[in-house]
Amino acid sequence: MFSEYHATAAKSDEFMIRRGRCKYIHYAGFAPELYDLETDADELKNLALDPAYSGLLAEFERQLRDIVPPEEADAGAKRDQGQLIKKLGGWQAVAEYLSPAATPAPALEMQS
């Protein structure tokens, strides 16, 4: 399973690969995460920090890059989001446009 998440005002895009019992998470510009969901369903122990998992971590990294170049996807999403925000009239206009039931992005909260 593969997923990606691109949120306006997020510091990084997020990419996830789930294979069997393992879940790999890659953030553009940040340290990766690796979890064994059978023994750690709550994702509390990041195995990416354990040298014993370096081979598996590298395998997931290669698999991700076969699917999408994460740095390019991150840059493209930020560029597209910036253009949309500009088209909609800027951050203030976007903040006013949001539904009251929506949780505002951190950058929008700071500008209120």
Side-chain angles (χ1 to χ4, degrees):
M1 176 186 305
F2 169 77
S3 71
E4 56 186 298
Y5 179 72
H6 309 273
T8 303
K11 291 185 180 187
S12 171
D13 288 352
E14 178 182 332
F15 304 88
M16 185 277 302
I17 297 175
R18 165 87 189 266
R19 191 174 70 217
R21 62 192 287 168
C22 294
K23 179 178 178 181
Y24 167 75
I25 305 170
H26 176 98
Y27 303 95
F30 294 90
E33 296 177 13
L34 178 66
Y35 300 99
D36 181 335
L37 299 177
E38 277 189 26
T39 61
D40 182 20
D42 293 328
E43 301 177 13
L44 299 174
K45 184 177 182 190
N46 183 2
L47 299 174
L49 305 173
D50 186 334
Y53 291 88
S54 63
L56 182 59
L57 193 62
E59 189 179 317
F60 272 113
E61 173 85 15
R62 279 191 300 277
Q63 185 177 8
L64 171 64
R65 292 182 182 283
D66 284 345
I67 298 168
V68 61
E71 294 80 12
E72 289 177 32
D74 181 58
K78 285 185 171 85
R79 181 188 62 244
D80 293 347
Q81 291 164 357
Q83 290 171 351
L84 181 59
I85 289 166
K86 185 176 180 179
K87 181 179 175 180
L88 294 173
W91 279 110
Q92 187 62 38
V94 171
E96 291 170 7
Y97 176 77
L98 291 174
S99 162
T103 303
L108 294 178
E109 289 181 59
M110 290 187 294
Q111 294 184 10
S112 303

